[in-house]
Amino acid sequence: MANAEVEAVDFEPDDDDLMDEDVGDGSPSRAAATIPRLKSAITGGGSSTPKKTKGRGFRDEAAAEADRNARMAGRFDSLDSDGGPGPERSIEGWIVLVTGVHEEAQEDDLQNAFGEYGEIKNLHLNLDRRTGFVKGYGLIEFEKFDEAQQAINEMDGTELLTQTINVDWAFSKGPFRRRNMRRRSPRGHRSRSPRRRF
Amino acid sequence: MADAEDNGEFYLRYYVGHKGKFGHEFLEFEFRPDGKLRYANNSNYKNDTMIRKEVFLTPAVLKECRRIVSDSEIMKEDDNNWPEPDRVGRQELEIVMGNEHISFTTSKIGSLMDVQTSKDPEGLRIFYYLVQDLKCFVFSLISLHFKIKPI
């Protein structure tokens, strides 16, 4: 795997970056191009090890894939964003994800812990559908960026009902790069020809 | 075990739908490795049109999704004894986690009775509850991000 990785990052796969973006233009060929990557290579440009597969969904792949392309092609609505890194504002405020929430926590516990940073506009504390206990995460909406940021800074890693919680933004303006994918090379838009050797 | 699940790929797709009087009615959502969550809900009931939403999630959200999946232990199951998709409907669950890739298909599950009377009640129960938990998660994310609160 190490060797394949080295070769893959030597040229800048800018085309792959385009494929990572949404199939916004609705063209079926781009949808077809994106979906197989997810199934066979799952980003990473072919660096992934072969997977152990299981399940009936692997039969009849061509037909299933055609159906999927038809369903998932076309424009998907999103909120406008400049696409850069960093948190993204939701329709009326900023959403923060809390994880590690104790299974017996109640909405009031989150209200009390987070309410000091600003008025909580929305709070979702979903239950485990089987046990009825809290599933383990909560989503909290603050109206202002600063309120949410302060809640994150001060509450992340603290304890709630004897359990450590983590607090972070929920939504991002753009995709995140996985560790073994290189950023754009400082060489810019070079062609794939090898370096000249003197 | 934590390593194999925390590192490496993560991809999840769920589909439930049927074709009938109101066209191809389906719900589908997809957590992609780059953080994008895509959500689609289609029905022609009363001439309704397709809803399609997408948003980028932070690594924290993907990590929580992984935890929900790995806590369910769905990756240990197999669909070979589950009811096949039929006229009434179809469900698909595809997950890539670490070096495992599952792609399960089954019919719609009306209630726990369907689970109890199947040939693999243990496995199907895990699927049944995981799907509900995932739907809760996705509906919360999508509605918080896109829906305006009524007065």
Side-chain angles (χ1 to χ4, degrees):
Chain A
M1 187 185 89
N3 286 336
E5 268 290 70
V6 166
E7 263 147 19
V9 297
D10 252 10
F11 65 89
E12 261 330 294
D14 287 343
D15 287 340
D16 281 350
D17 290 331
L18 285 178
M19 286 174 82
D20 272 341
E21 282 168 10
D22 176 38
V23 285
D25 64 2
S27 72
S29 58
R30 286 192 67 185
T34 324
I35 303 297
R37 282 185 80 234
L38 284 168
K39 286 208 73 171
S40 55
I42 314 280
T43 64
S47 67
S48 56
T49 50
K51 308 269 183 263
K52 276 168 34 195
T53 62
K54 193 168 40 165
R56 294 195 292 233
F58 291 104
R59 306 178 306 196
D60 214 10
E61 260 189 56
E65 232 167 87
D67 283 342
R68 214 165 36 243
N69 293 345
R71 288 197 305 267
M72 293 304 243
R75 286 190 48 79
F76 277 65
D77 299 332
S78 60
L79 300 185
D80 286 335
S81 115
D82 56 31
E88 177 167 271
R89 187 174 184 271
S90 299
I91 192 110
E92 293 183 315
W94 298 84
I95 312 287
V96 149
L97 174 77
V98 185
T99 54
V101 180
H102 192 281
E103 66 180 12
E104 292 183 17
Q106 305 196 343
E107 291 198 0
D108 276 352
D109 298 315
L110 286 187
Q111 271 287 351
N112 293 338
F114 286 87
E116 64 176 90
Y117 300 102
E119 188 193 338
I120 293 177
K121 297 301 213 171
N122 247 317
L123 187 132
H124 284 212
L125 184 61
N126 292 339
L127 303 182
D128 181 303
R129 297 303 303 250
R130 180 178 59 88
T131 67
F133 288 117
V134 165
K135 188 65 189 172
Y137 66 87
L139 290 156
I140 300 178
E141 178 174 356
F142 290 102
E143 192 176 341
K144 303 199 175 88
F145 174 85
D146 294 334
E147 295 169 340
Q149 183 69 80
Q150 199 188 355
I152 292 170
N153 294 344
E154 297 191 14
M155 296 299 291
D156 185 30
T158 61
E159 262 193 20
L160 182 72
L161 301 175
T162 77
Q163 226 171 269
T164 303
I165 56 169
N166 289 105
V167 188
D168 199 354
W169 299 104
F171 301 112
S172 173
K173 290 198 279 196
F176 60 85
R177 290 281 180 236
R178 293 183 49 229
R179 279 177 318 200
N180 53 354
M181 276 178 80
R182 267 256 288 259
R183 297 190 172 280
R184 284 174 194 272
S185 156
R187 299 208 297 275
H189 297 268
R190 284 201 65 208
S191 69
R192 290 185 183 190
S193 40
R195 281 191 194 275
R196 301 185 66 175
R197 298 200 281 214
F198 296 96
Chain B
M1 189 177 86
D3 275 347
E5 285 157 6
D6 288 348
N7 305 325
E9 337 251 9
F10 180 69
Y11 169 80
L12 184 146
R13 183 181 66 83
Y14 172 72
Y15 163 93
V16 58
H18 66 264
K19 293 180 184 166
K21 218 162 70 159
F22 303 111
H24 183 188
E25 298 185 277
F26 70 87
L27 163 73
E28 184 164 30
F29 53 80
E30 188 183 48
F31 286 82
R32 287 157 67 142
D34 63 357
K36 184 178 273 190
L37 168 65
R38 298 175 113 199
Y39 167 89
N41 195 330
N42 187 47
S43 172
N44 295 331
Y45 179 66
K46 295 191 179 171
N47 298 315
D48 208 5
T49 52
M50 173 132 42
I51 295 170
R52 279 180 166 131
K53 304 283 183 201
E54 65 179 16
V55 61
F56 281 106
L57 306 171
T58 57
V61 177
L62 272 213
K63 186 173 169 196
E64 181 64 6
C65 190
R66 290 178 88 121
R67 180 198 67 89
I68 291 173
V69 169
S70 87
D71 281 359
S72 75
E73 303 195 323
I74 186 78
M75 304 301 284
K76 299 185 183 158
E77 301 302 321
D78 199 321
D79 63 354
N80 51 21
N81 287 323
W82 297 0
E84 292 251 12
D86 56 22
R87 276 244 144 266
V88 174
R90 172 187 192 90
Q91 293 186 83
E92 294 173 8
L93 180 65
E94 185 176 355
I95 304 179
V96 175
M97 202 153 88
N99 67 341
E100 288 182 76
H101 185 169
I102 61 170
S103 180
F104 296 158
T105 62
T106 190
S107 60
K108 284 202 186 183
I109 301 173
S111 71
L112 272 179
M113 273 300 286
D114 295 340
V115 168
Q116 245 110 275
T117 56
S118 74
K119 287 195 281 174
D120 176 17
E122 305 285 306
L124 205 54
R125 183 174 303 120
I126 289 175
F127 174 84
Y128 178 72
Y129 283 116
L130 173 63
V131 162
Q132 290 191 38
D133 288 332
L134 289 173
K135 280 181 181 170
C136 275
F137 195 32
V138 170
F139 290 162
S140 284
L141 290 167
I142 295 292
S143 72
L144 282 168
H145 192 62
F146 290 103
K147 236 188 175 131
I148 300 178
K149 265 194 128 162
I151 298 176

Short mmCIF file of all heavy atoms in Angstrom, two decimals, chain A residues 129-169:
data_model
loop_
_atom_site.label_atom_id
_atom_site.label_comp_id
_atom_site.label_asym_id
_atom_site.label_seq_id
_atom_site.Cartn_x
_atom_site.Cartn_y
_atom_site.Cartn_z
N ARG A 129 -33.92 4.03 20.23
CA ARG A 129 -35.26 3.54 19.92
C ARG A 129 -35.59 2.20 20.56
O ARG A 129 -36.74 1.83 20.69
CB ARG A 129 -35.44 3.45 18.39
CG ARG A 129 -35.34 4.80 17.70
CD ARG A 129 -36.34 5.79 18.22
NE ARG A 129 -37.69 5.26 18.11
CZ ARG A 129 -38.61 5.72 17.26
NH1 ARG A 129 -38.32 6.73 16.48
NH2 ARG A 129 -39.79 5.17 17.21
N ARG A 130 -34.53 1.49 20.95
CA ARG A 130 -34.79 0.19 21.56
C ARG A 130 -34.91 0.31 23.08
O ARG A 130 -35.84 -0.22 23.68
CB ARG A 130 -33.67 -0.80 21.19
CG ARG A 130 -33.85 -2.19 21.77
CD ARG A 130 -32.72 -3.12 21.32
NE ARG A 130 -31.41 -2.64 21.72
CZ ARG A 130 -30.84 -2.93 22.89
NH1 ARG A 130 -31.45 -3.68 23.77
NH2 ARG A 130 -29.65 -2.45 23.17
N THR A 131 -33.98 1.04 23.71
CA THR A 131 -33.94 1.06 25.17
C THR A 131 -34.73 2.20 25.79
O THR A 131 -35.11 2.12 26.96
CB THR A 131 -32.49 1.22 25.66
OG1 THR A 131 -32.01 2.52 25.28
CG2 THR A 131 -31.58 0.15 25.06
N GLY A 132 -34.94 3.27 25.02
CA GLY A 132 -35.63 4.42 25.59
C GLY A 132 -34.71 5.36 26.34
O GLY A 132 -35.12 6.45 26.73
N PHE A 133 -33.47 4.96 26.53
CA PHE A 133 -32.50 5.86 27.15
C PHE A 133 -31.99 6.84 26.09
O PHE A 133 -32.20 6.65 24.89
CB PHE A 133 -31.30 5.08 27.69
CG PHE A 133 -31.62 4.29 28.92
CD1 PHE A 133 -31.53 2.90 28.93
CD2 PHE A 133 -31.97 4.94 30.10
CE1 PHE A 133 -31.81 2.17 30.07
CE2 PHE A 133 -32.25 4.21 31.25
CZ PHE A 133 -32.17 2.82 31.23
N VAL A 134 -31.27 7.85 26.54
CA VAL A 134 -30.68 8.81 25.61
C VAL A 134 -29.67 8.08 24.72
O VAL A 134 -28.88 7.27 25.21
CB VAL A 134 -30.01 9.95 26.40
CG1 VAL A 134 -29.09 10.77 25.52
CG2 VAL A 134 -31.07 10.83 27.03
N LYS A 135 -29.69 8.36 23.45
CA LYS A 135 -28.81 7.66 22.51
C LYS A 135 -27.34 7.98 22.77
O LYS A 135 -26.49 7.13 22.58
CB LYS A 135 -29.18 8.01 21.07
CG LYS A 135 -28.45 7.19 20.02
CD LYS A 135 -28.82 5.72 20.10
CE LYS A 135 -27.93 4.87 19.20
NZ LYS A 135 -28.14 3.43 19.41
N GLY A 136 -27.05 9.22 23.17
CA GLY A 136 -25.67 9.56 23.48
C GLY A 136 -25.22 10.88 22.88
O GLY A 136 -24.14 11.36 23.16
N TYR A 137 -26.06 11.47 22.03
CA TYR A 137 -25.66 12.75 21.43
C TYR A 137 -26.79 13.75 21.59
O TYR A 137 -27.95 13.39 21.77
CB TYR A 137 -25.34 12.56 19.94
CG TYR A 137 -26.54 12.17 19.10
CD1 TYR A 137 -27.39 13.14 18.56
CD2 TYR A 137 -26.85 10.83 18.88
CE1 TYR A 137 -28.51 12.79 17.82
CE2 TYR A 137 -27.96 10.46 18.14
CZ TYR A 137 -28.79 11.44 17.61
OH TYR A 137 -29.88 11.08 16.89
N GLY A 138 -26.43 15.01 21.51
CA GLY A 138 -27.43 16.07 21.52
C GLY A 138 -27.03 17.12 20.50
O GLY A 138 -25.86 17.27 20.17
N LEU A 139 -28.02 17.81 19.98
CA LEU A 139 -27.74 18.89 19.02
C LEU A 139 -28.37 20.16 19.57
O LEU A 139 -29.54 20.17 19.93
CB LEU A 139 -28.35 18.54 17.65
CG LEU A 139 -27.65 17.38 16.93
CD1 LEU A 139 -28.55 16.70 15.94
CD2 LEU A 139 -26.39 17.89 16.22
N ILE A 140 -27.56 21.18 19.68
CA ILE A 140 -28.00 22.43 20.31
C ILE A 140 -27.81 23.58 19.34
O ILE A 140 -26.73 23.70 18.73
CB ILE A 140 -27.18 22.71 21.58
CG1 ILE A 140 -27.36 21.55 22.57
CG2 ILE A 140 -27.61 24.02 22.23
CD1 ILE A 140 -26.56 21.70 23.83
N GLU A 141 -28.83 24.42 19.21
CA GLU A 141 -28.71 25.56 18.30
C GLU A 141 -28.62 26.86 19.08
O GLU A 141 -29.46 27.15 19.94
CB GLU A 141 -29.93 25.63 17.36
CG GLU A 141 -29.87 26.84 16.42
CD GLU A 141 -30.99 26.86 15.39
OE1 GLU A 141 -31.77 25.90 15.35
OE2 GLU A 141 -31.07 27.84 14.64
N PHE A 142 -27.59 27.62 18.76
CA PHE A 142 -27.44 28.98 19.28
C PHE A 142 -27.66 29.95 18.14
O PHE A 142 -27.34 29.67 16.99
CB PHE A 142 -26.02 29.20 19.82
CG PHE A 142 -25.73 28.44 21.08
CD1 PHE A 142 -24.98 27.27 21.05
CD2 PHE A 142 -26.19 28.90 22.30
CE1 PHE A 142 -24.70 26.57 22.20
CE2 PHE A 142 -25.92 28.20 23.47
CZ PHE A 142 -25.17 27.03 23.42
N GLU A 143 -28.18 31.13 18.48
CA GLU A 143 -28.42 32.12 17.43
C GLU A 143 -27.12 32.71 16.91
O GLU A 143 -26.95 32.95 15.72
CB GLU A 143 -29.32 33.23 17.99
CG GLU A 143 -29.86 34.13 16.91
CD GLU A 143 -30.82 35.15 17.49
OE1 GLU A 143 -31.31 34.91 18.62
OE2 GLU A 143 -31.05 36.16 16.83
N LYS A 144 -26.17 32.95 17.82
CA LYS A 144 -24.96 33.66 17.41
C LYS A 144 -23.74 32.75 17.39
O LYS A 144 -23.59 31.87 18.23
CB LYS A 144 -24.68 34.82 18.37
CG LYS A 144 -25.82 35.81 18.48
CD LYS A 144 -25.33 37.15 19.04
CE LYS A 144 -26.43 38.17 19.05
NZ LYS A 144 -27.22 38.12 20.28
N PHE A 145 -22.86 33.02 16.46
CA PHE A 145 -21.62 32.27 16.32
C PHE A 145 -20.82 32.29 17.62
O PHE A 145 -20.32 31.26 18.08
CB PHE A 145 -20.79 32.87 15.18
CG PHE A 145 -19.43 32.25 15.04
CD1 PHE A 145 -19.25 31.08 14.31
CD2 PHE A 145 -18.31 32.82 15.65
CE1 PHE A 145 -17.99 30.49 14.19
CE2 PHE A 145 -17.05 32.24 15.53
CZ PHE A 145 -16.90 31.07 14.80
N ASP A 146 -20.70 33.47 18.23
CA ASP A 146 -19.86 33.60 19.42
C ASP A 146 -20.38 32.76 20.58
O ASP A 146 -19.61 32.20 21.35
CB ASP A 146 -19.78 35.07 19.86
CG ASP A 146 -19.04 35.91 18.84
OD1 ASP A 146 -18.20 35.34 18.12
OD2 ASP A 146 -19.29 37.13 18.77
N GLU A 147 -21.71 32.70 20.67
CA GLU A 147 -22.30 31.89 21.75
C GLU A 147 -21.92 30.43 21.55
O GLU A 147 -21.52 29.74 22.49
CB GLU A 147 -23.83 32.03 21.73
CG GLU A 147 -24.33 33.44 22.04
CD GLU A 147 -25.82 33.61 21.74
OE1 GLU A 147 -26.38 32.80 20.97
OE2 GLU A 147 -26.42 34.56 22.28
N ALA A 148 -22.07 29.96 20.32
CA ALA A 148 -21.75 28.56 20.02
C ALA A 148 -20.26 28.30 20.23
O ALA A 148 -19.87 27.28 20.82
CB ALA A 148 -22.17 28.22 18.58
N GLN A 149 -19.43 29.21 19.76
CA GLN A 149 -17.99 29.02 19.88
C GLN A 149 -17.57 28.96 21.34
O GLN A 149 -16.74 28.12 21.72
CB GLN A 149 -17.24 30.16 19.18
CG GLN A 149 -15.73 30.02 19.20
CD GLN A 149 -15.25 28.86 18.33
OE1 GLN A 149 -15.15 28.99 17.11
NE2 GLN A 149 -14.95 27.73 18.95
N GLN A 150 -18.16 29.81 22.16
CA GLN A 150 -17.80 29.81 23.57
C GLN A 150 -18.27 28.52 24.25
O GLN A 150 -17.55 27.95 25.08
CB GLN A 150 -18.41 31.03 24.27
CG GLN A 150 -17.72 31.33 25.58
CD GLN A 150 -18.42 32.42 26.39
OE1 GLN A 150 -19.39 33.03 25.94
NE2 GLN A 150 -17.95 32.63 27.60
N ALA A 151 -19.45 28.06 23.87
CA ALA A 151 -19.96 26.80 24.42
C ALA A 151 -19.00 25.66 24.09
O ALA A 151 -18.67 24.82 24.93
CB ALA A 151 -21.35 26.50 23.88
N ILE A 152 -18.51 25.66 22.84
CA ILE A 152 -17.57 24.62 22.43
C ILE A 152 -16.28 24.72 23.23
O ILE A 152 -15.79 23.75 23.81
CB ILE A 152 -17.27 24.72 20.92
CG1 ILE A 152 -18.51 24.35 20.10
CG2 ILE A 152 -16.09 23.84 20.53
CD1 ILE A 152 -18.38 24.64 18.63
N ASN A 153 -15.73 25.93 23.29
CA ASN A 153 -14.45 26.11 23.97
C ASN A 153 -14.52 25.70 25.43
O ASN A 153 -13.59 25.09 25.95
CB ASN A 153 -14.01 27.58 23.88
CG ASN A 153 -13.71 27.99 22.46
OD1 ASN A 153 -13.54 27.15 21.58
ND2 ASN A 153 -13.64 29.29 22.22
N GLU A 154 -15.61 26.06 26.09
CA GLU A 154 -15.65 25.84 27.53
C GLU A 154 -16.22 24.50 27.94
O GLU A 154 -15.93 24.02 29.04
CB GLU A 154 -16.43 26.99 28.19
CG GLU A 154 -15.74 28.33 27.99
CD GLU A 154 -16.33 29.44 28.84
OE1 GLU A 154 -17.10 29.12 29.77
OE2 GLU A 154 -16.03 30.62 28.57
N MET A 155 -17.04 23.89 27.11
CA MET A 155 -17.70 22.64 27.53
C MET A 155 -17.04 21.39 26.99
O MET A 155 -17.25 20.29 27.52
CB MET A 155 -19.18 22.64 27.10
CG MET A 155 -20.02 23.70 27.78
SD MET A 155 -20.09 23.52 29.56
CE MET A 155 -21.04 22.03 29.73
N ASP A 156 -16.28 21.51 25.90
CA ASP A 156 -15.64 20.32 25.32
C ASP A 156 -14.71 19.68 26.33
O ASP A 156 -13.85 20.35 26.90
CB ASP A 156 -14.86 20.70 24.06
CG ASP A 156 -14.30 19.47 23.34
OD1 ASP A 156 -14.91 18.38 23.44
OD2 ASP A 156 -13.25 19.60 22.69
N GLY A 157 -14.88 18.38 26.57
CA GLY A 157 -14.01 17.67 27.49
C GLY A 157 -14.41 17.79 28.95
O GLY A 157 -13.73 17.24 29.82
N THR A 158 -15.51 18.47 29.23
CA THR A 158 -15.93 18.59 30.63
C THR A 158 -16.85 17.43 30.99
O THR A 158 -17.17 16.60 30.14
CB THR A 158 -16.67 19.91 30.88
OG1 THR A 158 -17.84 19.95 30.05
CG2 THR A 158 -15.79 21.10 30.58
N GLU A 159 -17.29 17.43 32.25
CA GLU A 159 -18.13 16.32 32.69
C GLU A 159 -19.58 16.74 32.83
O GLU A 159 -19.88 17.83 33.32
CB GLU A 159 -17.64 15.81 34.05
CG GLU A 159 -16.76 14.60 33.89
CD GLU A 159 -16.51 13.89 35.22
OE1 GLU A 159 -17.29 14.10 36.17
OE2 GLU A 159 -15.54 13.13 35.26
N LEU A 160 -20.46 15.85 32.39
CA LEU A 160 -21.89 16.07 32.56
C LEU A 160 -22.45 14.78 33.14
O LEU A 160 -22.33 13.72 32.52
CB LEU A 160 -22.55 16.38 31.21
CG LEU A 160 -24.04 16.70 31.26
CD1 LEU A 160 -24.29 18.05 31.87
CD2 LEU A 160 -24.63 16.66 29.85
N LEU A 161 -23.04 14.86 34.35
CA LEU A 161 -23.57 13.66 35.00
C LEU A 161 -22.52 12.56 35.06
O LEU A 161 -22.77 11.42 34.68
CB LEU A 161 -24.82 13.15 34.25
CG LEU A 161 -25.99 14.13 34.16
CD1 LEU A 161 -27.09 13.55 33.29
CD2 LEU A 161 -26.54 14.44 35.54
N THR A 162 -21.35 12.90 35.51
CA THR A 162 -20.22 11.99 35.72
C THR A 162 -19.60 11.44 34.43
O THR A 162 -18.73 10.59 34.48
CB THR A 162 -20.59 10.76 36.60
OG1 THR A 162 -21.34 9.83 35.80
CG2 THR A 162 -21.40 11.16 37.81
N GLN A 163 -20.05 11.89 33.27
CA GLN A 163 -19.48 11.38 32.03
C GLN A 163 -18.88 12.52 31.22
O GLN A 163 -19.45 13.61 31.16
CB GLN A 163 -20.61 10.75 31.21
CG GLN A 163 -20.26 9.40 30.64
CD GLN A 163 -21.47 8.73 30.03
OE1 GLN A 163 -22.17 7.99 30.70
NE2 GLN A 163 -21.70 8.99 28.75
N THR A 164 -17.75 12.26 30.58
CA THR A 164 -17.09 13.30 29.78
C THR A 164 -17.84 13.52 28.48
O THR A 164 -18.15 12.57 27.76
CB THR A 164 -15.65 12.88 29.45
OG1 THR A 164 -14.97 12.63 30.67
CG2 THR A 164 -14.93 13.97 28.68
N ILE A 165 -18.12 14.77 28.18
CA ILE A 165 -18.77 15.08 26.92
C ILE A 165 -17.78 15.76 25.99
O ILE A 165 -16.80 16.35 26.43
CB ILE A 165 -20.00 15.99 27.10
CG1 ILE A 165 -19.61 17.28 27.85
CG2 ILE A 165 -21.13 15.26 27.79
CD1 ILE A 165 -20.71 18.34 27.84
N ASN A 166 -18.05 15.65 24.70
CA ASN A 166 -17.29 16.40 23.70
C ASN A 166 -18.25 17.31 22.96
O ASN A 166 -19.39 16.93 22.70
CB ASN A 166 -16.58 15.45 22.73
CG ASN A 166 -15.44 14.73 23.41
OD1 ASN A 166 -15.54 13.57 23.73
ND2 ASN A 166 -14.36 15.46 23.66
N VAL A 167 -17.77 18.50 22.66
CA VAL A 167 -18.63 19.48 22.01
C VAL A 167 -17.90 20.04 20.81
O VAL A 167 -16.74 20.42 20.90
CB VAL A 167 -18.96 20.64 22.99
CG1 VAL A 167 -20.01 21.55 22.38
CG2 VAL A 167 -19.44 20.08 24.32
N ASP A 168 -18.59 20.08 19.69
CA ASP A 168 -17.95 20.57 18.46
C ASP A 168 -19.03 21.07 17.51
O ASP A 168 -20.23 20.86 17.74
CB ASP A 168 -17.14 19.44 17.80
CG ASP A 168 -16.11 19.95 16.82
OD1 ASP A 168 -16.08 21.17 16.55
OD2 ASP A 168 -15.33 19.12 16.31
N TRP A 169 -18.61 21.72 16.45
CA TRP A 169 -19.56 22.14 15.42
C TRP A 169 -20.17 20.90 14.75
O TRP A 169 -19.54 19.85 14.69
CB TRP A 169 -18.84 22.96 14.35
CG TRP A 169 -18.22 24.21 14.88
CD1 TRP A 169 -16.90 24.43 15.12
CD2 TRP A 169 -18.90 25.42 15.25
NE1 TRP A 169 -16.71 25.69 15.59
CE2 TRP A 169 -17.91 26.34 15.68
CE3 TRP A 169 -20.23 25.82 15.24
CZ2 TRP A 169 -18.22 27.61 16.12
CZ3 TRP A 169 -20.54 27.11 15.68
CH2 TRP A 169 -19.54 27.98 16.11
#
